[in-house]
Amino acid sequence: MGFTATSSILVRAVGAIAAFFLARFLYRGYGHRSRVKALQAQGVPVLPHSWLWGHLPIIGDWRAENPSDINFYDFHTWLIKNCRKYYPDLDFPPPVVYLDIWPFENGFAVVFDPVAASQFTQTPSLPKLSILKKFLGPLTSGVDIVSNEGAEWKTWRSRFNPGFSQRNLIAMLPELLEEASIFVSQLHGSAGSDGKWGPVFRFEEKTTNLTFDIICRAALGMRLNEQQRTESGPIKFALLDQIRLMSMAANAARAMPFGRMPWHHAAIRRNNRTLRDEMMPYIESKLKSESNDSQVKTIADLAIKYIDKDDPNATREKPNAEFVDRLMANLKAFLFAGHDTTASTICFMIKLLQDHPECLAKLRAEHDAILGPDPTRDVDALTQSPHLLYSLPYTLGVIKETLRLYPLAATVREPRPGSYLTAPGSATRYPVDGWGIWLSAPGVARHPDYWPRPDEFIPERWTVPEGDPLHPVSNAAWAPFSLGPRNCIGMELALIELRIVAVLVSRRFDVEEAWDDWDKLKGSKATPNAKVDGERLYRAGNSIVHPKDGMPVHVRLRKHTPAV
């Protein structure tokens, strides 16, 4: 009898707890859904919305029309193409698109207008949303300049700015060219003989090894030689595994609300130990050395100059532990951000040049005119005259147009209470309080009010004078590195890398997608029907954008004929 009574009490207690959590769940859901209904009542344009499902059916439409591995970044361009379906009176999405995807994630206000974007990235520059800090947390413990705010961010950003300055990176150009020359040798080894196509390989694997070698060299002076390894070294292996684990917390867009398990947390700790053990000797070596001003300075070298600013008692011999931890956290963040997006951008740049041979011909002609007719002398020419890298306007146009059509990252900010956004030509005020404000880099980059022929690859739009119909209407509409004071600190390094690759590859090689060969290699695991807008190559990946299947290509050597 006593056992039965106890069991009944336990059942009622469990039921009460379950009822409490269910009530809290429903209350939160009501709060999220009612916010959208309130917007509708105010006359603010919103996507078709369900009390039960919010905007998840629209995400479902996008998922149903695309391959299973498509990246959520593609949703932005998909919505532009399908605008009339969801906004019958509009040809382009409104300045702010509200996305209610609870319970997978809190809602987002996705900003498609550059003027509205400047109201939270520039004046004012609002804090980063906590979701970004949570994403980087396993790697940096939240003490990096992406996660920091206020005085901490300003202090550490100013310490790293000199390392990423054009002046410092140009001084480092021989080292960067040395790594890029290895990349050229790797492509040469993958090319066929007698002008024939070589075997298929994943282009992204080679671009990732290149950008990894470059960022490690620029940040710490480390020669990892990932391009020449048959297997990843300990730093790259640990970092890539850490990125995989970080991405597990970013599955909402794929409707996979699964977090990390205890063994994943153990792997995170193990990876961080490996990264610290491998990188700390380089940091300690720099702490002990007093380099003279004529030597090339790495990013770490220039940051270490401030070692006694936070703690007057700190010295190179006895550094402050917090300073070293913050330096390490930021260097890990740079290794992550400095290799990943640039490697993918190289792939999409080569893809666009492949699809637009007339642009590739103009690119090659510019290199002939500025660097001389012999492609094998490019490295010597740039080493002797680094300014030539900045004398290639069409090359920069190709790069900026690639980044316009394939931006791979964007900022998400935390709004102030009661805040709203406005856009030119609209009297509507778009409330953003309670929403994560997400800058749609693909959206602002394809807005027809700011870009003539927005869906076309036209490098010339970056070389024509102001006032020409092709000239960009607003600088704020180009945001692959975000906008305002919290833009990407590595922008100059990325642009230099992209210039170098364009110069060293375009006249020596033909690079072409090789999906037929790839499908034969993959056999039953091939996915020939996985296409976006009829293209096999698209933005794939769980959270970070990667080219589908690493962009399978083959390469052949060119017998270069200089442009007349």
Side-chain angles (χ1 to χ4, degrees):
M1 189 75 174
F3 176 77
T4 303
T6 302
S7 298
S8 177
I9 293 171
L10 287 173
V11 169
R12 287 198 296 271
V14 170
I17 294 171
F20 169 77
F21 281 106
L22 177 61
R24 188 172 70 167
F25 178 83
L26 294 175
Y27 178 77
R28 288 180 176 176
Y30 175 80
H32 284 278
R33 301 292 186 257
S34 62
R35 285 190 308 170
V36 180
K37 299 305 181 184
L39 292 171
Q40 289 177 318
Q42 297 170 40
V44 177
V46 297
L47 293 162
H49 186 257
S50 162
W51 269 110
L52 182 60
W53 301 110
H55 289 133
L56 291 175
I58 297 174
I59 302 297
D61 291 347
W62 166 70
R63 297 288 303 138
E65 293 180 18
N66 289 287
S68 60
D69 61 350
I70 195 167
N71 190 277
F72 189 66
Y73 226 51
D74 184 79
F75 177 80
H76 301 238
T77 49
W78 176 86
L79 185 60
I80 294 172
K81 295 172 210 161
N82 291 274
C83 180
R84 280 281 183 179
K85 179 178 179 181
Y86 300 105
Y87 296 102
D89 299 328
L90 299 176
D91 293 321
F92 192 84
V96 178
V97 172
Y98 296 93
L99 273 184
D100 174 13
I101 56 175
W102 187 86
F104 297 109
E105 188 54 75
N106 292 329
F108 293 103
V110 188
V111 180
F112 280 71
D113 183 89
V115 175
S118 68
Q119 295 164 21
F120 64 91
T121 58
Q122 299 185 63
T123 309
S125 177
L126 295 178
K128 298 288 183 75
L129 195 67
S130 60
I131 189 174
L132 298 177
K133 302 171 188 178
K134 290 178 182 176
F135 176 75
L136 277 174
L139 182 67
T140 68
S141 300
V143 293
D144 60 281
I145 60 171
V146 176
S147 305
N148 291 159
E149 301 291 346
E152 281 186 330
W153 167 80
K154 186 177 292 187
T155 295
W156 281 89
R157 173 82 182 219
S158 66
R159 291 173 179 177
F160 286 115
N161 277 337
F164 286 100
S165 68
Q166 183 184 115
R167 178 180 178 180
N168 191 59
L169 294 173
I170 286 298
M172 207 181 290
L173 189 60
E175 285 77 11
L176 306 186
L177 288 168
E178 184 178 11
E179 301 295 348
S181 296
I182 298 172
F183 178 70
V184 170
S185 297
Q186 293 287 314
L187 290 184
H188 195 283
S190 298
S193 58
D194 301 321
K196 296 179 181 177
W197 293 107
V200 64
F201 63 93
R202 295 178 191 253
F203 194 56
E204 189 194 24
E205 288 185 357
K206 294 191 184 301
T207 62
T208 297
N209 287 335
L210 165 66
T211 56
F212 203 87
D213 279 349
I214 284 179
I215 188 58
C216 288
R217 189 125 183 218
L220 275 166
M222 304 166 71
R223 292 299 308 276
L224 295 188
N225 297 312
E226 288 295 339
Q227 298 183 85
Q228 297 167 301
R229 291 176 181 265
T230 55
E231 295 183 356
S232 296
I235 291 180
K236 182 187 172 189
F237 183 88
L239 183 63
L240 294 185
D241 190 54
Q242 201 76 322
I243 294 170
R244 177 186 66 83
L245 294 164
M246 290 156 60
S247 299
M248 294 181 70
N251 280 321
R254 299 168 69 86
M256 296 162 58
F258 306 115
R260 290 184 285 263
M261 298 291 110
W263 53 89
H264 296 137
H265 291 284
I268 287 170
R269 291 190 294 271
R270 181 177 65 249
N271 288 333
N272 278 327
R273 281 196 303 270
T274 298
L275 290 169
R276 191 177 184 90
D277 290 346
E278 294 291 329
M279 294 168 64
M280 187 56 74
Y282 289 87
I283 294 175
E284 291 174 343
S285 173
K286 293 181 179 303
L287 287 168
K288 294 174 182 176
S289 66
E290 292 284 352
S291 58
N292 62 63
D293 292 337
S294 65
Q295 292 178 317
V296 172
K297 299 293 194 302
T298 67
I299 294 162
D301 286 325
L302 292 169
I304 286 172
K305 289 169 56 179
Y306 299 92
I307 194 164
D308 60 349
K309 298 301 181 183
D310 299 333
D311 179 0
N313 297 319
T315 63
R316 287 176 174 266
E317 292 74 24
K318 293 183 178 180
N320 179 285
E322 182 181 352
F323 180 94
V324 174
D325 288 343
R326 285 185 176 275
L327 177 62
M328 175 68 74
N330 279 290
L331 290 172
K332 289 193 292 183
F334 297 152
L335 263 57
F336 158 53
H339 88 276
D340 208 273
T341 53
T342 305
S344 294
T345 299
I346 292 171
C347 293
F348 289 117
M349 178 175 69
I350 295 298
K351 154 74 173 171
L352 287 167
L353 289 170
Q354 166 206 273
D355 292 349
H356 299 84
E358 72 285 358
C359 297
L360 179 56
K362 291 180 180 179
L363 184 78
R364 289 167 171 163
E366 179 176 76
H367 298 168
D368 286 340
I370 302 301
L371 300 170
D374 183 0
T376 64
R377 300 289 300 168
D378 287 343
V379 171
D380 291 339
L382 291 173
T383 300
Q384 295 167 11
S385 304
H387 69 277
L388 293 178
L389 201 62
Y390 289 86
S391 302
L392 303 168
Y394 192 81
T395 302
L396 182 59
V398 166
I399 293 166
K400 295 184 80 170
E401 194 71 344
T402 299
L403 288 162
R404 184 181 72 83
L405 293 173
Y406 288 97
L408 303 181
T411 189
V412 188
R413 302 296 178 90
E414 189 82 48
R416 292 172 175 171
S419 57
Y420 58 87
L421 303 176
T422 61
S426 173
T428 303
R429 302 203 320 175
Y430 295 89
V432 290
D433 188 3
W435 301 85
I437 318 175
W438 185 355
L439 169 60
S440 174
V444 299
R446 292 175 184 259
H447 200 304
D449 289 351
Y450 299 92
W451 301 98
R453 297 154 61 188
D455 296 323
E456 297 180 40
F457 178 70
I458 310 175
E460 289 80 4
R461 72 171 85 241
W462 300 100
T463 62
V464 295
E466 191 171 353
D468 187 283
L470 272 179
H471 193 275
V473 175
S474 169
N475 291 333
W478 189 76
F481 299 99
S482 191
L483 300 168
R486 302 218 44 175
N487 68 342
C488 175
I489 194 173
M491 178 174 70
E492 187 62 33
L493 176 59
L495 293 176
I496 286 177
E497 290 179 75
L498 290 163
R499 284 183 176 101
I500 289 173
V501 171
V503 165
L504 299 190
V505 171
S506 63
R507 293 192 293 171
R508 301 180 193 219
F509 305 100
D510 289 319
V511 184
E512 181 182 79
E513 292 173 76
W515 292 102
D516 289 342
D517 293 346
W518 181 249
D519 289 343
K520 291 176 185 177
L521 186 66
K522 298 296 287 184
S524 61
K525 295 182 179 179
T527 56
N529 296 321
K531 298 179 182 179
V532 175
D533 297 329
E535 292 282 351
R536 292 288 301 270
L537 191 70
Y538 54 84
R539 286 172 288 207
N542 187 18
S543 59
I544 301 163
V545 176
H546 294 281
K548 167 67 175 175
D549 286 351
M551 189 178 177
V553 302
H554 52 200
V555 175
R556 69 182 176 193
L557 298 172
R558 294 184 70 249
K559 185 176 180 180
H560 182 64
T561 302
V564 178

